[in-house]
Structures are given as C-alpha cells and as structure tokens.
Amino acid sequence: MRIVQKAPSIKSNKAFSAILLFAIVLVASFFRLYLLSGVPEGLQFDEAYNGYDSYSILNTLRDQYGEFLPIFARSADDYRESLYIFLTVPSIAFFGLSEFAVRFPSALLGIFTVIAVYFLGKEFFDGKIALLAALFLAVSPWHIAISRIGIRAALLPFFFCLGLFFLLKSLNKSGYLIPASMAFSIGLYTYFPARIFIPLFVTGAFIIFFEDLRKRRKETTVAFLVFLTFFIFFFRFWITSAGMARARASLDINLTRNIYYYLSYFHPWFLFLKGAINPIISVPRTGELYLFEFITVCSGLVTVLLRIKNRKYLILLLWLILYPIPAALASPAHAIRTIAGAPLFALLSSVGIFTLFRLLKSQKAR
C-alpha cells in the first residue's frame, strides 16, 4: 500500500515563515537593546542634546531654547530635524530621563527596519531570500552600531524602506502609491543626508517606473503633490541661514575630493575590513559588513545586474549608486551618513548566498 504524502499547505509555510521572522526579530532586539544604557559608554554630544530637548518638550512643550514644538530644533546650533526628539518624548515619559530612554527610539526603529527589510525582500525576490535579508540586517555591525545611539540617523533606513516597499506594491495594486509618497516625505524629515538622497531616489524611481505610474495618473498626481508639498515646506527652511547651518559646518565641496570620498564608500577597507573612522559609531576592527560578505555581496550584485531588464532590479542599482552621495559631499568612510545603504547590502548578501547555493547545487548535479 503506497502512502501518499500531502504537500505542505500554504498556511503551514506562512506559519513557519512567521516563526522564523519572529526569531529574527528577537535576535535583532537582543543586539539593539541588551546593555543599551552602557554600550556605547556615555551619551554622545548629539544624544545629550536630543535628550535635553525631549525632556524640555515633555514638561513644557518647548525645547531648551523656549521654542514651542519646533519642527527644526536649534539644539547645538545645527537646527536638526525634530522627529527623533518628538519620538523620544514618550520614551522619557515612560522610562525616565536616562541613557536608555534617549536611545530606545533608535533601537526600536532599528528593529522595525529589520521587519521592513523582510517585506521589502519579498517584493524584490521571495520569502526565503527575504528572511535571510532580515537576518543579515539583524546582525549587521553597521546597523546595530547606529541603532544603539540616540540620534536620528536610524529613522532614515526605516522610512526609506517603508516607502520603497509601498512603491513596489503599487506597481501591481492601486492604493499603495500615496502611502509610499507619505513614507518618503517623512523620510525627508529624518536626517540631513535624506535631503539629498530621497529626492534623487524618488526622481530616479519616477523615471524607471514612468510607464507604470502613467497608467495610474490620478493616484500618481496625488502622490506627487503630497511629496512636493512636504519637500517645498522643508526646502523653504533648508535654504535659510539656520537651515544651512549644518551644511556650512560639514560640507566639503571639491570635485576631486568628492569623487575620492564617493569611491571610499565602495572600498573594501570601509565595507569589509576596518569600517568607519569614528570608533564610537562602528564596531572596532570590523568592517561595516562582515568579511565573508565580500563574496555574497559581489554574487548578489552580479545576480542583480543579470536581471537588470526587470525594472525592480534597476531600482536596487539606483539605490547602490545614490546611497553614498550625501556623505561624499562631506567626508570619506562615515557610517552614519551612509546608513541608508545598510538594508541594501543585506538584500544583496541574501540573494548572493542563494545564487551561490544554486551554483554549487548545479555543479554537484553534473
């Protein structure tokens, strides 16, 4: 008597994937929350300013300079985006004024970014690659280091990945383009490099997906107006003397140097060997990625290039080209200013491993 085995049901596969994702989120949470108050030791200058402004807003609805719920906080005379400060207010209200409370929003958004990368990976590839991409980001030295300090940089990868996820969903189903526009718009208000990176990316994505977007003219028009409204509102401040304060302090505009800075973000020394120059924002003696990822990232990049006729993969290439540009206008090997690239490399490493696995499997079959 032959026993016929039933194929695993879709529900069981989804349940197993959910369990694996939950386990990955636990791993991400451990690396971002364990000993958060003391590692890294002591609050950085920017963290202290964020905490002080948040505490002041919690008690008076005004920042340390007496400004009522400022959209851009003066802080250290750099007029930084206040989104992280606002997110820290409930954290301080719940945990008290402490290192943990100041850093908790960054860690939490770092965990959420791991989840966002999973769903983004499903849109680009499939569930298995998506799970592995989430795992890569969960244990990424680059992303962990940034997620453990109470600064606004950790917000950028989350809102960018969320916007890109909705954008990809909108290609097959209506109703997602406006949420994509909203996520990208909020992304403008996260961290200084977003002012350059997100508009360039949105423009490139519009060109790449023009034919798809033209089919949904009404939805595309509304989404464009939403993004344009946010952009103009922020841009009006960016070009003021206060809005340019950070740019004047950090930008180093020189074509030769900027090209050198740009190329430094693709150099193995930064990505795989030694990482950022500042040890506070990176793991000492470790690249922003693991050394073995040199092989997986290269394999993933080759895979993407071979599929470049599919416009979804062209988006990944656009992301790779654009992610260092804001940082390249200021300095080389800066992990915070290029944090938008961390999810991309997690995706490339993930698809690269599966490509290598298939190649090895085909070789054994011969």
Side-chain angles (χ1 to χ4, degrees):
M1 180 178 176
R2 186 175 64 179
I3 298 175
V4 179
Q5 294 182 339
K6 292 183 179 180
S9 67
I10 295 176
K11 287 186 178 180
S12 64
N13 287 336
K14 286 185 177 180
F16 184 65
S17 295
I19 292 170
L20 287 178
L21 179 60
F22 180 71
I24 291 169
V25 170
L26 288 180
V27 171
S29 301
F30 173 80
F31 283 119
R32 286 155 182 80
L33 295 173
Y34 181 63
L35 297 178
L36 184 60
S37 297
V39 182
E41 185 177 0
L43 288 179
Q44 292 186 53
F45 188 77
D46 287 337
E47 292 180 287
Y49 266 99
N50 289 339
Y52 188 25
D53 276 327
S54 299
Y55 183 72
S56 180
I57 289 173
L58 173 64
N59 289 281
T60 67
L61 297 182
R62 298 177 183 276
D63 70 0
Q64 59 183 295
Y65 296 98
E67 291 293 323
F68 179 75
L69 298 178
I71 300 299
F72 293 91
R74 179 179 170 183
S75 293
D77 287 329
D78 55 2
Y79 291 89
R80 64 191 63 177
E81 298 84 356
S82 299
L83 181 56
Y84 189 84
I85 293 170
F86 292 148
L87 291 174
T88 308
V89 170
S91 179
I92 291 177
F94 188 81
F95 296 111
L97 185 59
S98 63
E99 289 90 343
F100 184 89
V102 173
R103 292 171 173 174
F104 180 71
S106 182
L108 187 62
L109 265 294
I111 295 166
F112 286 164
T113 306
V114 171
I115 300 172
V117 164
Y118 166 74
F119 287 103
L120 190 56
K122 286 184 70 176
E123 291 301 314
F124 275 116
F125 305 106
D126 58 41
K128 292 179 181 179
I129 293 177
L131 283 169
L132 189 56
L135 179 60
F136 266 112
L137 191 65
V139 299
S140 164
W142 193 354
H143 195 252
I144 290 171
I146 305 304
S147 299
R148 292 184 64 91
I149 49 180
I151 58 175
R152 63 201 192 281
L155 306 181
L156 174 55
F158 172 72
F159 285 104
F160 174 75
C161 289
L162 191 63
L164 182 52
F165 167 72
F166 285 134
L167 176 62
L168 295 178
K169 292 287 286 186
S170 73
L171 301 178
N172 300 313
K173 190 175 181 180
S174 61
Y176 286 98
L177 200 53
I178 295 173
S181 178
M182 288 295 298
F184 284 134
S185 298
I186 296 172
L188 290 170
Y189 183 53
T190 56
Y191 181 46
F192 182 79
R195 304 178 186 184
I196 300 171
F197 173 68
I198 288 183
L200 288 176
F201 185 87
V202 169
T203 302
F206 178 80
I207 294 171
I208 292 170
F209 294 129
F210 178 75
E211 292 300 324
D212 300 275
L213 297 174
R214 190 172 63 171
K215 296 174 184 177
R216 300 192 180 98
R217 292 185 181 180
K218 185 176 180 180
E219 189 179 2
T220 300
T221 301
V222 173
F224 173 75
L225 290 175
V226 168
F227 183 81
L228 186 64
T229 300
F230 274 85
F231 179 79
I232 291 175
F233 176 80
F234 296 138
F235 185 75
R236 289 175 62 187
F237 175 79
W238 295 341
I239 60 176
T240 65
S241 178
M244 290 294 292
R246 183 62 176 168
R248 289 195 299 269
S250 59
L251 292 184
D252 179 18
I253 305 300
N254 177 286
L255 183 58
T256 303
R257 284 199 296 269
N258 295 146
I259 292 173
Y260 166 74
Y261 294 164
Y262 179 84
L263 294 177
S264 76
Y265 292 103
F266 298 102
H267 199 285
W269 190 265
F270 171 72
L271 288 175
F272 308 107
L273 297 173
K274 293 296 182 181
I277 297 172
N278 189 340
I280 298 176
I281 56 177
S282 62
V283 180
R285 298 178 297 279
T286 302
E288 299 306 321
L289 308 173
Y290 293 105
L291 184 58
F292 74 88
E293 287 188 83
F294 176 79
I295 298 172
T296 58
V297 166
C298 290
S299 174
L301 182 58
V302 170
T303 303
V304 167
L305 290 173
L306 291 174
R307 301 180 184 180
I308 207 68
K309 290 183 179 179
N310 186 327
R311 283 172 290 178
K312 284 199 305 184
Y313 301 115
L314 190 56
I315 278 289
L316 288 172
L317 188 60
L318 175 70
W319 188 353
L320 182 66
I321 292 170
L322 295 181
Y323 98 90
I325 288 180
L329 298 176
S331 62
H334 200 292
I336 298 180
R337 292 171 184 157
T338 50
I339 189 59
L344 169 64
F345 285 105
L347 289 165
L348 290 176
S349 276
S350 179
V351 71
I353 281 185
F354 276 87
T355 298
L356 292 171
F357 179 76
R358 284 194 295 268
L359 287 174
L360 290 173
K361 193 175 181 181
S362 65
Q363 289 292 328
K364 288 183 178 180
R366 290 182 178 179

